[in-house]
Amino acid sequence: MANLCSMSSDTVPSSALPLPSHSLPLSSTTSSWSKKPKRTPLYQRSMSFDPNLLHNNGHNGYPNGTSAALRETGIIEKLLASYGFIQCSERQARLFFHCSQYNGNLQELKVGDDVEFEVSSDRRTGKPIAVKLVKIKPEILPEERITGQEVFYLTYTPDDVDGNSQLETGDKINFIIDTNKHTGAVSARNIMLLKKKQMRCQGVVCAMKEAFGFIERGDVVKEIFFHYSEFKGDLEALQPGDDVEFTIKDRNGKEVATDVRLLPQGTVIFEDISIEYFEGTVTKVIPKMPNKNQNDPLPGRIKVDFVIPKELPFGDKDTKSKVTLLEGDHVRFNISTDRRDKLERATNIEVLSDSFHYTDESREMDMLSAQRNHAIRIKKLPKGTVSFQTQSDHCFVGTIEKEATLSSPKDSSPNKGKEKDGEEGIISYEDCGIKLTIPYHTKDLDGPAPEIGDKVEFSICEVKRTGMQSAVSLKVMGRNSNAKRYLGYVATLKDNFGFIETANHDKEIFFHYSEFCGDVDSLNLGDVVEYSLSKGKGNKVSAERVNKTNAVIDSDNEIDDPVYWGKVIRPLRSVDPTQSEYQGLIEITEEEKQKTSEELSEESLEANPENPEAATDVGIEIAKPEPPPLVNMISQVFPFGIVGMANKSDCLQKGETVKFQLGVFGQNKQTMACNIEPLRRGTVECVKDQFGFINYEVGDSKKLFFHVKEVQDGIELQAGDEVEFAVILNQRTGKCSACNVWRVCEGPKAVAAPRPDRLVNRLKSITLDDASAPRLMVLRQPKGPDNTNGFGIERKIRQAGVID
């Protein structure tokens, strides 16, 4: 309620101030020269005005322009050396007065004083003036004091505050209500400070809900509610455990936190923890299943043998190592003292090592596993303390006699979720001149999987319970020099790895650049390489010891002469990594299984330009050729690999049109496509701001997108230009686009369209008759500044401050 009395008068609108019942909202004077009908001055309509007080044409029979009229009251509004102005209290009028009309000590008169006077008129101007001024003594304030309440706002000034008190918003005060009898304004006087506003409190956010939360106060053991709208800061950053400060206010009879602001972490401290450790005995443990009626947050008890024995409480969060405490345990702890209510409790509780001598417990060591026996009071030991097997420090060297394999999904039991171990391998070695063998498993490999004949280094592990031995930590020291070598073609080159196409062109083998013997930069797509196979983790096959070779793989290939046209229905796996098959597929188009007679005639004409008849004869002879044997095959789809590409760097996309030949490749004599060349020519359909489209069918789209940045030599393409390009596939969107676009030839220039018939007919209908034709009349001949036709004067820059 004290808040209302600390507001300044500026906060109260003028309309809120009460006015006298007989006050009027108009001015006391009216302009005499206005064209409107002359209105009666307000002071003549005032209840206290006597018309006989004014002179009639400057003569009324009273000396000095005064009369024994009714007296009025007012307030000194302005005071100068010899005159001033009075604001009437009972009407809206402002009167002039001369200091000679004041009856009293003029030095004591000041602005704001209440005066009583009579109204007269100036002999010269006829305007009303105040005469016979008398100062009114101030009224005696009532003795009754009123305590401010939250009902309405009162204004006050610093002079109304008793003493040197500095009032602030929220201070509790009492005061006297004073009503100005002239204006009716109510204000507070003689203000006395009763109680300063409450200081800011601190706490820790302990809970957060959807739109509100709770703060654990730092001054008392109590939680206080706050709404998220009261938090001044980023609400997303506020979390339970943050330190905050706030102000407490009463709302609907309950205390709530307002103006909540974040504090640096660690500002609020609830308790002091002793540096010294104490020892005691557990007399009461925390129940595993707390009772519903249990309200004690610290149900545990520890007895301490001080000079006077004392029991300290503790809670579930006070155990240091989360060990299960039992009655009679000998423990060590710190004492925590709450700053708010001075409550002491035991914290950082840990069981002493000699506690088990008091409780007669037996301790065992084991590793956590699923078992029926119930373990309690578990203590975590350092990693590696418990082991079920021993491993020799000495390393042995042996030779692989049998390779270990991983288990396949078929070997796993349908009733059990985990897989069985794969088939174990065998290593032969010598120990003290005796030849021995030892098994090993793929899970014990420390590197790539060894092959038969490889030299390996290993340690021997023995199971304590069974005495079984096996080789662990296997490392390959040397490969078998008699290991089988394979030939293949480099199919894919990535950042630090690549793939090799096998000699049968049916699959690809992974290899890492670290396995290549030589400069990786010298490798190119299609190069013939020699390699060995090895199995790594996951039973995956990869190539190792990769060497570049000049050996010829497909020396007996049979390639037919006819050139076919086809469409790519599946690209290579290097182009589309999502497919499982390596090989690509090309389907021969029905309408272009072989070269037409016209094409062959053109080729013959190019070969014999001087003998066109021979070309014609050739054309006649091949007009109806017999189809080659491959065309009559049932399947019109043929696979291809990296070797079949005419340009190994071309990345054929699904749906592209190509020309190719057929041949027999590999040991399995498979008919495959070879000498494949994409027909990547098309005309520009349109070019927009930064992109365009080419008439080229690839995939499901008949238009191929390209960006202007892909156009070579910075040429600005136009619609109709013929271009060559490469096609790339966006793996994320699955859409193709053109790159490396070259303009082969310009398209036909756009021809201006003829005028439409409607415009031609309109021009034909126009006549040159002066009567019907529009006329142009010159009203004034154009002239320059010098009154001549045109601008003959030379224009020049004018210099500032210089007049021509």
Side-chain angles (χ1 to χ4, degrees):
M1 62 182 175
N3 295 347
L4 307 177
C5 302
S6 64
M7 302 291 290
S8 66
S9 60
D10 294 338
T11 61
V12 183
S14 59
S15 59
L17 297 176
L19 296 175
S21 59
H22 56 276
S23 62
L24 298 176
L26 300 178
S27 174
S28 61
T29 60
T30 306
S31 177
S32 60
W33 49 267
S34 176
K35 295 182 181 180
K36 295 182 180 180
K38 190 173 182 180
R39 300 177 62 186
T40 304
L42 289 177
Y43 62 82
Q44 294 185 14
R45 290 182 282 164
S46 175
M47 295 174 60
S48 61
F49 179 73
D50 187 357
N52 296 324
L53 292 176
L54 297 180
H55 295 277
N56 185 11
N57 295 327
H59 302 280
N60 63 353
Y62 293 96
N64 298 330
T66 60
S67 65
L70 297 177
R71 297 182 66 81
E72 294 186 33
T73 59
I75 300 174
I76 301 297
E77 184 187 37
K78 187 174 182 180
L79 184 61
L80 300 176
S82 60
Y83 65 93
F85 291 89
I86 299 174
Q87 177 66 44
C88 296
S89 300
E90 299 177 355
R91 57 193 175 96
Q92 294 292 336
R94 185 170 180 265
L95 302 179
F96 170 87
F97 75 93
H98 196 273
C99 292
S100 61
Q101 294 293 329
Y102 176 68
N103 185 12
N105 186 2
L106 191 61
Q107 300 298 327
E108 297 178 356
L109 188 66
K110 62 181 182 296
V111 176
D113 287 347
D114 296 336
V115 293
E116 188 180 33
F117 56 91
E118 294 179 4
V119 180
S120 180
S121 61
D122 192 309
R123 293 178 180 270
R124 183 171 57 86
T125 61
K127 292 183 179 180
I129 60 174
V131 297
K132 298 183 180 180
L133 278 70
V134 178
K135 187 175 180 180
I136 302 175
K137 295 182 180 180
E139 296 182 359
I140 301 175
L141 298 176
E143 295 295 334
E144 181 183 2
R145 301 187 69 84
I146 300 175
T147 302
Q149 305 210 355
E150 192 174 359
V151 178
F152 53 86
Y153 291 93
L154 299 177
T155 61
Y156 75 97
T157 63
D159 296 334
D160 296 324
V161 182
D162 293 346
N164 296 324
S165 302
Q166 295 292 333
L167 298 183
E168 297 179 1
T169 303
D171 291 347
K172 188 175 182 180
I173 58 173
N174 66 2
F175 52 90
I176 295 174
I177 295 180
D178 179 31
T179 304
N180 191 320
K181 68 177 183 177
H182 305 301
T183 62
V186 181
S187 61
R189 303 283 296 276
N190 294 358
I191 302 172
M192 295 179 60
L193 178 64
L194 297 180
K195 183 180 179 182
K196 294 291 290 183
K197 70 173 182 179
Q198 189 174 7
M199 299 299 293
R200 300 274 289 173
C201 298
Q202 295 181 348
V204 177
V205 178
C206 58
M208 295 183 67
K209 306 297 181 181
E210 284 189 9
F212 61 90
F214 292 90
I215 301 173
E216 185 175 357
R217 293 173 56 175
D219 52 346
V220 293
V221 184
K222 188 177 180 181
E223 293 180 359
I224 187 170
F225 168 91
F226 77 98
H227 194 270
Y228 288 165
S229 60
E230 295 291 343
F231 180 71
K232 310 301 181 184
D234 184 10
L235 190 59
E236 298 294 336
L238 187 65
Q239 296 179 357
D242 287 345
D243 296 350
V244 293
E245 66 172 357
F246 54 91
T247 302
I248 300 176
K249 289 187 178 180
D250 291 333
R251 289 183 181 171
N252 298 328
K254 295 183 179 179
E255 289 185 339
V256 297
T258 61
D259 192 17
V260 183
R261 299 180 184 273
L262 203 61
L263 291 175
Q265 198 70 17
T267 303
V268 182
I269 300 176
F270 291 133
E271 56 189 15
D272 297 319
I273 300 177
S274 64
I275 301 176
E276 181 184 0
Y277 278 94
F278 300 89
E279 294 184 4
T281 306
V282 178
T283 58
K284 183 180 178 181
V285 297
I286 300 173
K288 296 180 180 179
M289 299 294 293
N291 191 0
K292 293 182 178 180
N293 298 327
Q294 177 96 20
N295 294 324
D296 189 2
L298 305 173
R301 296 291 183 272
I302 294 177
K303 183 179 179 181
V304 190
D305 293 331
F306 291 143
V307 177
I308 299 177
K310 183 179 182 180
E311 279 192 345
L312 296 175
F314 68 91
D316 186 28
K317 297 181 180 180
D318 291 322
T319 55
K320 189 173 183 179
S321 57
K322 301 301 179 183
V323 67
T324 304
L325 295 179
L326 299 178
E327 292 186 6
D329 282 349
H330 193 204
V331 294
R332 188 176 71 162
F333 56 90
N334 298 109
I335 295 179
S336 172
T337 305
D338 197 311
R339 291 184 175 184
R340 297 168 292 182
D341 58 358
K342 306 305 179 183
L343 175 66
E344 293 182 344
R345 79 174 197 279
T347 188
N348 297 332
I349 304 171
E350 53 183 343
V351 180
L352 296 176
S353 58
D354 61 349
S355 177
F356 303 107
H357 299 293
Y358 294 95
T359 57
D360 296 330
E361 293 181 56
S362 60
R363 305 291 286 175
E364 298 182 4
M365 290 194 306
D366 206 339
M367 298 181 67
L368 291 177
S369 61
Q371 55 184 5
R372 293 188 177 182
N373 294 332
H374 181 62
I376 63 171
R377 300 167 69 82
I378 300 172
K379 181 181 180 181
K380 185 178 179 181
L381 297 175
K383 189 174 182 180
T385 303
V386 180
S387 64
F388 298 105
Q389 56 193 12
T390 59
Q391 183 172 337
S392 63
D393 298 332
H394 178 67
C395 291
F396 298 87
V397 177
T399 305
I400 300 294
E401 289 190 355
K402 180 182 177 182
E403 295 182 17
T405 59
L406 289 172
S407 61
S408 62
K410 296 181 180 179
D411 298 334
S412 60
S413 173
N415 299 326
K416 296 183 180 180
K418 63 179 183 178
E419 299 179 353
K420 298 179 181 179
D421 292 336
E423 187 177 357
E424 62 184 18
I426 302 297
I427 301 174
S428 62
Y429 70 102
E430 289 188 4
D431 186 12
C432 299
I434 302 175
K435 291 186 177 181
L436 302 172
T437 59
I438 189 170
Y440 77 94
H441 297 86
T442 54
K443 63 182 180 65
D444 298 319
L445 295 176
D446 191 4
E451 299 178 357
I452 296 177
D454 288 350
K455 191 176 182 181
V456 293
E457 183 184 41
F458 60 93
S459 299
I460 296 178
C461 176
E462 181 178 350
V463 180
K464 291 181 179 179
R465 289 177 292 183
T466 61
M468 296 273 304
Q469 292 184 344
S470 62
V472 295
S473 302
L474 270 76
K475 295 181 180 179
V476 178
M477 297 183 63
R479 293 291 186 178
N480 183 11
S481 59
N482 297 324
K484 187 176 180 180
R485 301 285 287 175
Y486 301 90
L487 295 176
Y489 303 90
V490 177
T492 307
L493 293 174
K494 300 293 184 180
D495 291 338
N496 52 8
F497 64 91
F499 289 90
I500 300 173
E501 181 181 305
T502 61
N504 283 331
H505 313 284
D506 55 350
K507 63 178 68 175
E508 59 182 355
I509 306 296
F510 170 86
F511 76 98
H512 196 271
Y513 287 167
S514 60
E515 294 290 342
F516 179 71
C517 302
D519 185 9
V520 179
D521 295 334
S522 64
L523 274 180
N524 295 312
L525 294 176
D527 287 348
V528 180
V529 292
E530 186 182 25
Y531 61 94
S532 300
L533 293 179
S534 66
K535 294 181 180 179
K537 291 186 177 180
N539 207 20
K540 294 182 179 180
V541 179
S542 61
E544 61 180 15
R545 290 185 289 169
V546 182
N547 295 324
K548 201 171 180 181
T549 181
N550 295 324
V552 179
I553 302 177
D554 299 319
S555 59
D556 55 347
N557 293 341
E558 299 178 3
I559 300 177
D560 294 334
D561 294 334
V563 177
Y564 299 88
W565 294 65
K567 184 177 181 180
V568 178
I569 61 175
R570 187 179 74 194
L572 291 174
R573 191 171 184 271
S574 59
V575 177
D576 185 9
T578 59
Q579 66 185 35
S580 57
E581 300 85 356
Y582 164 70
Q583 289 181 326
L585 295 178
I586 297 177
E587 180 182 17
I588 294 181
T589 55
E590 292 295 335
E591 63 277 9
E592 294 180 349
K593 293 181 180 179
Q594 59 185 7
K595 285 190 177 181
T596 62
S597 59
E598 291 79 8
E599 291 175 346
L600 293 177
S601 298
E602 291 177 0
E603 291 182 0
S604 178
L605 181 60
E606 292 176 359
N608 302 303
E610 297 179 355
N611 189 7
E613 295 180 359
T616 304
D617 295 339
V618 172
I620 294 173
E621 291 178 1
I622 65 172
K624 295 180 180 180
E626 294 182 2
L630 292 176
V631 176
N632 294 331
M633 295 179 63
I634 298 176
S635 175
Q636 299 299 319
V637 178
F638 299 96
F640 70 93
I642 191 66
V643 180
M645 301 294 300
N647 183 3
K648 302 298 187 293
S649 60
D650 274 338
C651 297
L652 293 180
Q653 306 294 335
K654 181 179 179 181
E656 284 200 86
T657 302
V658 296
K659 63 178 182 179
F660 61 95
Q661 293 176 292
L662 294 177
V664 179
F665 294 87
Q667 299 175 356
N668 53 3
K669 301 300 181 180
Q670 185 181 15
T671 301
M672 301 179 64
C674 62
N675 297 332
I676 305 169
E677 294 182 10
L679 304 176
R680 290 171 176 164
R681 270 201 182 190
T683 57
V684 178
E685 181 188 15
C686 63
V687 178
K688 298 186 179 180
D689 185 18
Q690 293 294 323
F691 61 92
F693 291 91
I694 301 173
N695 291 314
Y696 183 79
E697 184 176 357
V698 56
D700 299 331
S701 176
K702 294 184 179 180
K703 309 296 180 186
L704 186 64
F705 171 89
F706 73 93
H707 197 275
V708 294
K709 293 181 179 179
E710 296 294 340
V711 180
Q712 303 299 315
D713 295 340
I715 298 175
E716 294 185 3
L717 296 178
Q718 303 293 334
D721 290 351
E722 188 174 359
V723 293
E724 289 185 350
F725 49 87
V727 179
I728 57 174
L729 174 66
N730 190 322
Q731 298 292 342
R732 183 176 60 85
T733 61
K735 295 183 179 180
C736 294
S737 61
C739 65
N740 298 331
V741 182
W742 290 88
R743 185 173 69 182
V744 179
C745 62
E746 295 186 16
K749 299 296 182 180
V751 180
R755 288 187 176 183
D757 294 339
R758 58 180 179 80
L759 184 57
V760 174
N761 295 334
R762 183 179 177 185
L763 292 174
K764 289 180 180 179
S765 63
I766 296 177
T767 61
L768 300 178
D769 187 9
D770 293 339
S772 61
R775 300 181 64 186
L776 177 63
M777 297 179 64
V778 178
L779 299 179
R780 179 179 61 83
Q781 292 294 336
K783 294 182 180 181
D786 56 350
N787 205 21
T788 59
N789 293 334
F791 295 88
I793 302 176
E794 181 183 358
R795 305 183 69 180
K796 56 184 179 179
I797 300 175
R798 177 179 176 276
Q799 296 181 0
V802 179
I803 301 176
D804 296 338

